[in-house]
Every structure is written in C-alpha cells, then in structure tokens.
Amino acid sequence: MTPPVWLIAEREFRTYAATASFWVALAIGPLILAGMMLMTHGGAAHPAPATLTLSTEADGSLTARFSDNFPLSGEGRAAVLRDMAKEVRLNPPLRTAVTAKPTIDPRAVSRFVLVLMLWMTLTGSLGMLLNAVVRERANRALESLLAAASPLDIVGGKLIGVGGVSLLVLASWLGSTFLMGGLMPASGGLISGLLRSAADPLLLAHAALVYVLGFAFYGFTTVAIGGLARDNADAQNLARPMFAVLLAVFFAAFAAAGGGQLDWLVYVPPFTPFMLLMHPHSLLVEMIALAQLAVATALAAWMSVSALTLSARPVWLAVLAPKRRAVG
C-alpha cells in the first residue's frame, strides 16, 4: 500500500506538471543557453580585430589607444609603446593611454547566474505551494485529507510534489548548462568562459544541494503561512513579509556580486542558501551555516504542521485524535 505522503506528492506533481507554464519553464532555460552557444560560435567566426590607434591631440602630442580585446596586459602594452617610441624616434614624445585588459571572472559570473536560477525557481514554486495549501484550506478539503493522513504526511507530500516540479525545471537548466558548457571552446570569449565555469560538476552538485535545503526552509514556512490563511487574499497579506525577505535576498546577492562585504549574511538562515552559492567558503563556515539552516528548517517544519492542524480541525479534536487511533 502506497504511503499517504507519496499519494499527496503524486497528486500535487500531476496538477502542476499538466500546465503549459511548466513546459514553458522547462524549455526556456535550455533555449536561452542554446542561443548563447550560437552567439559564441557566431562571434568566433568573425572576431573583432585587435587594434592600436595613434591620434594627435590638440597640443600636438600623440596618444596611443588599444582596443579592449588587444591580447596584452597593461604592462605588455606599455612595453610595446616604449619600444615603438625608441624605434621610430617619435617627436613629440608618444603619450600612452594604456587601459588594462578587462578582467571579468567567469566563475564569479556563473555563481551569480546560479543564484538567479535558485531565486527564480524558488519564488515560482513557493507561489504554487501557497496556492495548493490555501485552495484546500478554503474549500474545506483539508479536513478530508486530515482524516486519511497525518499533518506531517500532508506537509511532506505537498513539499515533495511541488518541489519535484520546480526541481525538474532547475535540473533541466543545470543539466543543459553542464552539457553545453562541455561543448564550449576554451578560447570562446566571456560567454564561453561563463558556460564552461558553470558546467563544473562540483559547482552544479553544490548548487543542487543548496537548492534542496533552501526549498525545504522556505517551503515549510510557506505551508505554515497557508495554514493560517482563510482565503487567497489573507494568504497574500500573510506572505508579503516572506516575499519581501526574498526581494532583500536578491538585492543582497546583487550587492555581493559587485564586491559588497556581505559574507556575514551566510549565517542568517533566509540568506544562507544564496550566500553559499554567491561566494566559495571554507568547510567550517559551510558546516556552521548549514547547521543553522537545518535548525531553522526544523523549526519551520514544526510551525507548518502545527498551523495546518490547528487551522483545519478544532483544538479538542486534534487532542482526541491520538486516543481514537489508539482505540482503533
């Protein structure tokens, strides 16, 4: 006999997997990555020429300007100009306008992209989870479920079902990143470097683990909110603080990507999953942060089960239920 938790999970998964939005979300990630791959190959076929331009200024001096894709560092460009000035004996002397070669770290960019993937899939799945709880709370179907399954089975089934939908979307995105990143040439520019960095198996495995933990924390919190709401309008009002936190998480990740000193947020559970993805941390820091997140997730799970029980059944019936099961 199939346990109730899996029956509920299967029902939730089938409900959302049958929608057109699910298939659009499933395909949009691979399509975007395929477009980036085509852009990379198209750009490689017609690379922009590297140029050195000499121009005369208003005071009669000469200025040398390198294009951004010139294959030399700032020190190398300066050395070329010094040698050129000696050879041709330029008069007036050559003024150098040396610009350092752009140093964009593809690995840092790929980490930020993974954070965006987590944020987008998480916000979408939490909306589905909230609707699933409030729908059954409003039409009184929750009482029927509680007659056949425990509150923990209901909470777990909904998290597994809705989480499976969003995890499948994320797996499609991460899987296509891994496959297409492996096909990228080593010298294909920024986009190629980005895809190759994001295709690191260890980075993707770490991202998948962090996603599961992050979804568990936010998912239990969402079920607790849905269990306390009487209808959709009430649920939206109760969920606003949580989605405000998610918005703050997005801006914090954006600031961290720009060099902001926000690594301490890794110890704040709502920010922990995103900060773990944003920057590499030592093993000790990761263990402490994950332990705190696990404690916060356990607390959110207890709150969700309690909210679901007390909102769907009278308190006295919830107290007598264990005795009735014992008698049966």
Side-chain angles (χ1 to χ4, degrees), residues 8 59 111 117 135 147 157 161 180 185 196 241 277 279-280 312 320:
I8 296 172
D59 59 0
R111 282 183 170 275
M117 287 184 181
R135 180 180 65 248
M180 295 183 187
R196 288 173 60 85
L277 285 178
H279 295 299
L320 292 179

Side-chain angles (χ1 to χ4, degrees), residues 201-241:
L202 291 178
L203 182 62
L204 293 179
H206 183 258
L209 173 63
V210 169
Y211 172 80
V212 172
L213 296 175
F215 177 80
F217 171 74
Y218 279 100
F220 282 125
T221 304
T222 301
V223 173
I225 293 173
L228 296 174
R230 294 184 299 272
D231 50 35
N232 286 326
D234 196 19
Q236 295 298 327
N237 290 329
L238 291 173
R240 280 176 184 171

Side-chain angles (χ1 to χ4, degrees), residues 9-10 35 42 44-45 92 95 133 144-145 175 180 213 215 219 253 273 288 321:
E10 181 182 4
R95 179 189 298 171
V133 177
S144 299
L145 275 178
M180 295 183 187
L213 296 175
F215 177 80
I288 294 175

Side-chain angles (χ1 to χ4, degrees), residues 8-322:
I8 296 172
E10 181 182 4
R11 186 192 63 174
E12 296 295 339
F13 183 87
R14 288 179 178 273
T15 298
Y16 291 103
T19 61
S21 59
F22 166 75
W23 294 101
V24 171
L26 195 67
I28 193 170
L31 289 177
I32 291 175
L33 291 171
M36 294 173 64
M37 187 174 181
L38 291 176
M39 289 173 57
T40 300
H41 286 301
H46 301 89
T51 59
L52 167 59
T53 305
L54 296 177
S55 59
T56 304
E57 304 298 333
D59 59 0
S61 62
L62 293 175
T63 299
R65 290 182 174 85
F66 293 88
S67 62
D68 288 340
N69 63 337
F70 203 88
L72 283 178
S73 63
E75 293 78 6
R77 299 178 191 187
V80 167
L81 292 178
R82 286 195 298 268
D83 293 340
M84 187 172 65
K86 292 178 182 178
E87 289 293 333
V88 299
R89 302 177 186 275
L90 290 175
N91 187 23
L94 182 65
R95 179 189 298 171
T96 60
V98 178
T99 304
K101 192 176 181 180
T103 55
I104 299 177
D105 183 6
R107 192 170 183 85
V109 177
S110 65
R111 282 183 170 275
F112 183 68
V113 171
L114 291 177
V115 169
L116 288 181
M117 287 184 181
L118 170 60
W119 191 84
M120 288 189 296
T121 54
L122 191 58
T123 51
S125 61
L126 293 181
M128 292 189 296
L129 187 59
L130 184 63
N131 290 333
V133 177
V134 175
R135 180 180 65 248
E136 293 178 349
R137 172 83 168 86
N139 61 19
R140 313 299 294 180
L142 197 56
E143 288 87 339
S144 299
L145 275 178
L146 284 168
S150 69
L152 186 59
D153 285 336
I154 297 173
V155 173
K158 289 187 176 297
L159 255 68
I160 295 172
V162 176
V165 172
S166 55
L167 188 60
L168 188 58
V169 172
L170 190 67
S172 171
W173 293 5
L174 295 180
S176 57
T177 300
F178 177 75
L179 292 176
M180 295 183 187
L183 299 176
M184 287 289 99
S187 57
L190 177 60
I191 296 179
S192 176
L194 170 61
L195 291 176
R196 288 173 60 85
S197 297
D200 182 357
L202 291 178
L203 182 62
L204 293 179
H206 183 258
L209 173 63
V210 169
Y211 172 80
V212 172
L213 296 175
F215 177 80
F217 171 74
Y218 279 100
F220 282 125
T221 304
T222 301
V223 173
I225 293 173
L228 296 174
R230 294 184 299 272
D231 50 35
N232 286 326
D234 196 19
Q236 295 298 327
N237 290 329
L238 291 173
R240 280 176 184 171
M242 183 183 68
F243 285 101
V245 170
L246 281 171
L247 189 61
V249 164
F250 174 81
F251 286 111
F254 189 78
Q261 301 299 316
L262 298 174
D263 284 348
W264 58 274
L265 287 175
V266 76
Y267 299 112
V268 182
F271 294 82
T272 297
F274 301 90
M275 291 302 160
L276 286 176
L277 285 178
M278 195 66 250
H279 295 299
H281 298 85
S282 67
L283 180 60
L284 178 60
V285 170
E286 291 227 3
M287 290 178 63
I288 294 175
L290 290 176
Q292 291 179 327
L293 181 59
V295 172
T297 301
L299 178 60
W302 175 80
M303 292 174 58
S304 66
V305 171
S306 300
L308 210 63
T309 303
L310 296 178
S311 65
R313 297 190 294 179
V315 176
W316 65 269
L317 186 57
V319 172
L320 292 179

